[in-house]
Every structure is written in structure tokens, then in C-alpha cells.
């Protein structure tokens, strides 16, 4: 595949250095000392939005903060006369700037910054030699989504859901750890809850969505490859499980009289691991486990645990949940316990559009060359903003190698060399799509 991008290698290397330096700069904007934490509608959210808007304007984009707090930059397409085509659909590049607690500095962030560098590479001067335009059959937008992680209010993809037009009014009553509702946080941030619908985009406004992201898994690292085409994003279901027993005196209650909820929940967690390990491409994680009343001298009468269940296909994921339910029935029945579950999140698998998979593949091949004609194609076990955006336009994704697959952790990493490859491949992908669209 011949390269379409007419950019010198040192220009691409400079772009990668800029991305890495800006990841470091954004990492210093945090609610916690000695770590990275930026949550939705916080002062840190406002600060990174302002910085992203500054970088967007520096490369000739117009900027706006949408009605859900997403930072948007746009480079207009030129008409035949050279005037900006304000009605042209936009190809959107982007990812998110929010983080989990004690985060790494690349998850989401690198995709936003690579998107800006792609715009820098592809822009052309306006007709009078001032300003910048998109030379492509579509405008270019970069979106820094505001709440992919769901750290503050427990609901992921809030920013991208608003853009997709799938905002649920029930979300307004979600609360953070301090009891602040989402509605109150909107107002405190300077947003109008009554106007959140204005963030929604129509399908005819969009030419597609391309997201670059670190893999958040070890497959590329194990293969010794820099980049991959993403085929789909895993389906996900999340549950809050409660195991009920009986709280009694730790010293006075013999084992045959105990109905220990914590031991039942612990056995349930091991059963979840066993069931999921037996299934191809199904991952189950118990990330939270709490015992009540939580005293050192009381047999736990109740235990609460979380379950994050992900799979490549919805039906396989749901079959595994049915198996887990049967295991919990057996465990709690044997131990004289009861259990119930509340589903708190459900998202179907999202498949990347065949055309966008093709252009990403062509972008990788034309970038890496040297006999690379069949780059890795893998599905994402992690969720991404593309999941939400997929309900309003076609989506495609490019993965970058993530050493040892470490993510959601301060040791999260990506190399400047892979960022250089990825930025060029993303730009090539955009050009391949433009060539297809004519």
C-alpha cells in the first residue's frame, strides 16, 4: 500500500515528541498530589479543556465547549471558491481526557493529542494565505470527551453518550461520593442541564469516527508489533451482588452455626474466575468486596461485591452470566446464605465498520511497510468512547502497543516510536478514507 501522506519523517517524530510532552503536561493537572486523577465536571476537567482548546486554536481550529462539557475543535473544509464549507460533514478524531484514580498518563489522552497532530499534518492554508482548511471531502474535528471512565458518578461514557444523543434523563439523579448530583455538578460547572440535548450530533453531520488508543492489554507487546486494527469493542455488563447471611459473635458462634456472608462471597469470586477462565474471550472481574457490619469480632452478616463481565459477543457473555448465577445458587444454598444482584451497566458489543477497519489497516501497512501486509486485528476488551459514538456514525479504532498491557496504573506506558508510527498511520487512514469518499 503506497503512502499518501507527504510528510517528512522528522515531522512525524516531532509530532510524537509533542504528544509525549503534552501527556506529561496534562499529567500535572490532577486532584491528587503524587498521582493523576481528573473526574467529570471538576476544576481539573475545566483546566484540561482550556489547555486542549488552546492547542486546537494553535493549529487553526475553531473551538467550542459542547453542552455536555466535551471540548471540540473543528477545521472547516474549503468550497471550490475557497470559502469554508460550514455544512460539510466532519470526520471526528478523538478520545477522552478524564481518568480513573491513580491513573496512567496515556489512556485516552494520547488519542486526543494524536488527533491534533493529524490535523496539523493534513491542514492546508486558506485561500488568502491566512487561516487553515481541511483539503479533504469532509471537515476534521477533534473531540476531547469528558467522562469516558465514569469515575465520579459511576456511569461511564457520559460525554460521548450526549454526543450520540443517547442521554438518559434518569442519570441526573446520579450522585458522587459527596452526595452531589449530576444535575448539581452540571450547574456548578457552568453547564445548563436543560440544554444537554444540544450536544447530540445527527448522522448526516458526521463522516465517521476514528479513535487511537493504547491497547490496555498485552497482545501487541507479546506479538512484537506496534499497531493493530480494532475489530470490535467488548460487550459489558456490571452487577452489584449482595450475599446475605447472619451476623453473630465471632467467639461464641461455632462453625456449624455460622452463616458467614464474606466466606460465601469469597467463594463466589473464585467461582466467577473459574467459570470465566473456561470460556474463550470472556473476562469476569470482582473489583470490590466489602463485609458488614465490618467489625473484627463479628461474623459478617452481609457482603457486597462487584462484577464486571466482558466478552467479544453478547450471547456468549450472557451465557456465562447464567452459569455464574447457577454457581451462586449452589454456593449460597450450601452455606445457608441468600444472594441477589442488581445490574448497573449493560452495553452491547460494538463492531467497527468494515470500511474503517480497511482504511486503518491500509494506514498501518503504508506506515510500517517493510513487508508488513497483514497487521494484527484484535478486539478490545476495554470500553471506549467509540462504543457510544457507534450509535450515531460508523466507528474505527487504531491500537498502539502498551508494554506488558499495564493500564489504569501509574506504570502505564507507550513509546514515542509507537506514537510516531500511530500518528502517521492515523493520518494515512484519514487520507485513505478521503480517497474512498472521493
Amino acid at each position: 500500500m503506497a503512502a499518501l501522506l507527504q510528510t517528512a519523517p522528522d515531522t512525524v517524530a516531532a509530532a510524537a515528541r509533542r504528544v509525549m510532552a503534552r501527556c506529561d503536561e496534562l499529567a500535572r493537572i490532577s486532584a491528587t498530589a503524587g498521582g493523576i486523577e481528573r473526574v467529570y465536571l471538576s476544576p481539573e476537567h475545566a483546566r484540561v479543556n482550556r489547555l486542549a482548546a488552546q492547542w486546537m486554536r494553535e493549529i487553526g481550529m475553531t473551538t467550542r465547549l459542547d453542552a455536555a462539557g466535551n471540548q471540540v475543535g473543528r477545521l472547516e473544509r474549503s468550497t471550490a471558491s475557497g470559502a469554508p464549507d460550514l455544512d460539510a460533514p466532519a470526520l471526528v478524531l478523538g478520545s477522552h481526557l478524564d481518568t480513573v484514580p491513580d491513573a496512567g498518563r496515556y489512556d485516552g489522552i494520547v488519542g486526543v493529542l494524536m488527533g491534533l497532530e493529524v490535523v496539523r499534518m493534513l491542514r492546508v492554508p486558506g485561500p488568502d494565505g491566512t487561516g487553515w482548511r481541511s483539503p479533504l471531502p469532509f471537515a476534521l474535528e477533534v473531540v476531547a470527551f469528558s467522562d469516558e471512565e465514569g469515575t465520579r458518578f459511576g456511569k461511564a461514557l457520559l460525554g460521548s453518550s450526549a454526543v450520540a444523543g443517547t442521554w438518559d434523563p434518569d442519570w441526573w439523579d446520579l450522585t458522587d461520593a459527596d452526595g452531589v448530583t449530576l444535575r448539581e455538578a452540571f450547574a456548578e460547572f457552568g453547564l445548563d442541564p436543560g440544554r444537554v440535548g444540544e450536544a447530540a450530533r445527527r448522522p448526516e453531520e458526521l463522516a465517521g469516527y476514528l479513535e487511537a488508543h493504547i491497547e490496555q492489554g498485552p497482545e501487541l507487546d507479546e506479538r512484537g508489533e506496534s499497531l493493530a486494527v480494532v475489530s470490535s469493542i467488548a460487550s459489558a455488563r456490571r452487577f452489584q451482588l449482595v450475599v446475605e447471611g447472619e451476623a453473630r459473635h465471632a467467639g461464641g458462634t461455632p462453625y456449624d452455626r455460622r452463616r458467614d456472608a464474606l466466606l460465601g462471597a469469597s467463594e463466589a469470586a473464585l467461582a466467577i474466575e473459574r467459570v470465566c477462565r473456561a470460556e474463550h474471550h470472556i473476562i469476569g472481574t470482582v473489583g470490590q468486596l466489602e463485609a458488614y457490619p465490618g467489625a473484627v469480632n463479628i461474623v459478617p452478616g452481609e457482603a457486597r461485591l462487584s462484577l464486571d463481565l466482558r466478552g467479544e459477543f453478547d450471547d456468549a457473555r450472557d451465557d456465562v452470566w447464567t452459569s455464574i448465577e447457577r454457581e451462586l445458587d449452589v454456593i449460597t444454598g450450601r452455606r445457608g446464605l441468600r444472594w441477589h444482584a442488581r445490574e448497573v451497566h449493560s452495553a452491547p458489543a460494538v463492531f467497527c465498520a468494515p470500511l474503517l477497519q480497511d482504511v486503518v489497516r491500509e494506514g498501518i501497512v503504508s506506515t510500517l511497510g517493510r513487508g508488513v501486509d497483514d497487521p494484527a486485528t484484535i478486539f478490545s476488551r476495554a470500553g471506549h468512547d467509540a462504543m457510544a459514538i457507534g450509535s450515531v456514525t460508523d466507528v474505527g479504532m487504531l491500537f498502539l502497543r502498551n508494554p506488558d498491557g499495564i493500564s489504569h496504573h501509574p506504570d502505564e506506558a507507550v513509546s514515542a516510536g509507537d506514537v510516531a508510527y500511530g500518528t502517521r498511520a492515523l493520518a494515512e487512514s484519514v487520507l485513505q478514507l478521503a480517497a474512498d469518499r472521493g
Side-chain angles (χ1 to χ4, degrees):
M1 177 61 60
L4 300 177
L5 183 65
Q6 302 301 311
T7 298
D10 58 347
T11 300
V12 178
R17 289 194 297 270
R18 201 159 31 241
V19 169
M20 301 300 281
R22 288 176 170 179
C23 285
D24 291 342
E25 186 172 355
L26 290 170
R28 292 192 287 271
I29 301 175
S30 174
T32 57
I36 304 172
E37 182 174 354
R38 293 190 299 271
V39 301
Y40 191 34
L41 305 175
S42 65
E44 294 74 33
H45 173 189
R47 288 178 61 193
V48 295
N49 273 2
R50 288 194 294 269
L51 199 51
Q54 174 187 321
W55 293 334
M56 290 169 177
R57 290 190 293 268
E58 286 175 1
I59 57 174
M61 307 184 87
T62 57
T63 64
R64 63 185 177 87
L65 184 70
D66 78 9
N70 302 302
Q71 186 63 51
V72 183
R74 182 177 172 102
L75 190 73
E76 299 292 355
R77 174 179 183 255
S78 287
T79 63
S81 66
D85 183 359
L86 302 180
D87 295 323
L91 176 66
V92 179
L93 311 174
S95 195
H96 62 97
L97 296 180
D98 67 304
T99 75
V100 296
D102 198 26
R105 63 188 61 202
Y106 303 109
D107 171 11
I109 291 87
V110 74
V112 176
L113 300 178
M114 285 173 57
L116 293 178
E117 294 305 323
V118 168
V119 172
R120 188 192 300 272
M121 290 177 183
L122 300 183
R123 64 183 181 169
V124 295
D128 58 358
T130 62
W132 298 92
R133 296 281 189 271
S134 165
L136 309 174
F138 38 72
L140 290 172
E141 291 189 6
V142 176
V143 179
F145 288 110
S146 55
D147 189 40
E148 192 260 12
E149 301 289 6
T151 299
R152 182 175 181 185
F153 294 100
K155 174 62 182 173
L157 306 174
L158 287 176
S160 47
S161 293
V163 172
T166 56
W167 188 273
D168 186 340
D170 289 344
W171 295 342
W172 291 121
D173 294 325
L174 295 172
T175 58
D176 67 10
D178 296 320
V180 177
T181 67
L182 180 56
R183 183 186 298 277
E184 291 168 340
F186 249 64
E188 290 172 6
F189 195 78
L191 299 172
D192 182 351
R195 301 180 65 180
V196 70
E198 295 176 14
R201 307 296 293 273
R202 301 188 305 276
E204 60 270 22
E205 296 176 352
L206 303 173
Y209 174 73
L210 288 174
E211 180 170 356
H213 207 284
I214 61 170
E215 182 194 348
Q216 297 182 284
E219 186 167 343
L220 276 174
D221 196 32
E222 291 174 350
R223 294 171 66 123
E225 299 181 30
S226 297
L227 307 173
V229 182
V230 178
S231 59
S232 65
I233 304 170
S235 65
R237 295 177 74 179
R238 293 178 183 169
F239 300 89
Q240 292 294 331
L241 310 178
V242 177
V243 178
E244 297 174 340
E246 182 180 41
R248 294 182 61 162
H249 194 286
T253 309
Y255 279 110
D256 61 356
R257 300 289 184 94
R258 293 186 179 213
R259 295 167 55 207
D260 190 321
L262 178 58
L263 292 181
S266 300
E267 189 175 347
L270 292 172
I272 288 167
E273 180 192 38
R274 184 180 68 253
V275 170
C276 292
R277 284 176 70 96
E279 297 290 336
H280 184 56
H281 286 176
I282 301 293
I283 298 291
T285 302
V286 175
Q288 299 170 324
L289 177 59
E290 299 174 293
Y292 299 89
V296 67
N297 57 350
I298 300 178
V299 175
E302 181 177 289
R304 302 174 191 173
L305 62 159
S306 63
L307 172 59
D308 181 302
L309 191 63
R310 304 179 190 224
E312 186 173 9
F313 302 105
D314 298 353
D315 54 355
R317 173 207 62 188
D318 294 342
D319 287 346
V320 168
W321 169 240
T322 299
S323 297
I324 290 171
E325 288 182 299
R326 287 196 294 265
E327 290 283 343
L328 291 173
D329 285 341
V330 171
I331 291 166
T332 55
R334 186 178 67 251
R335 289 182 169 273
L337 308 169
R338 300 180 304 276
W339 77 277
H340 62 271
R342 179 171 65 92
E343 187 167 12
V344 295
H345 174 74
S346 179
V350 172
F351 291 85
C352 294
L355 173 60
L356 295 184
Q357 289 190 55
D358 287 344
V359 300
V360 171
R361 184 174 295 105
E362 291 165 356
I364 293 173
V365 170
S366 62
T367 295
L368 297 180
R370 301 188 305 279
V372 177
D373 55 7
D374 187 22
T377 299
I378 59 181
F379 91 96
S380 174
R381 290 174 171 84
H384 304 286
D385 288 300
M387 297 182 74
I389 300 301
S391 65
V392 71
T393 193
D394 287 345
V395 300
M397 287 193 71
L398 168 73
F399 267 172
L400 284 72
R401 174 168 42 193
N402 174 204
D404 200 29
I406 297 174
S407 186
H408 284 189
H409 186 276
D411 289 344
E412 179 180 273
V414 68
S415 74
D418 285 348
V419 169
Y421 284 139
T423 302
R424 179 163 195 131
L426 185 61
E428 292 280 5
S429 302
V430 173
L431 292 175
Q432 296 288 348
L433 180 63
D436 182 85
R437 297 284 171 89

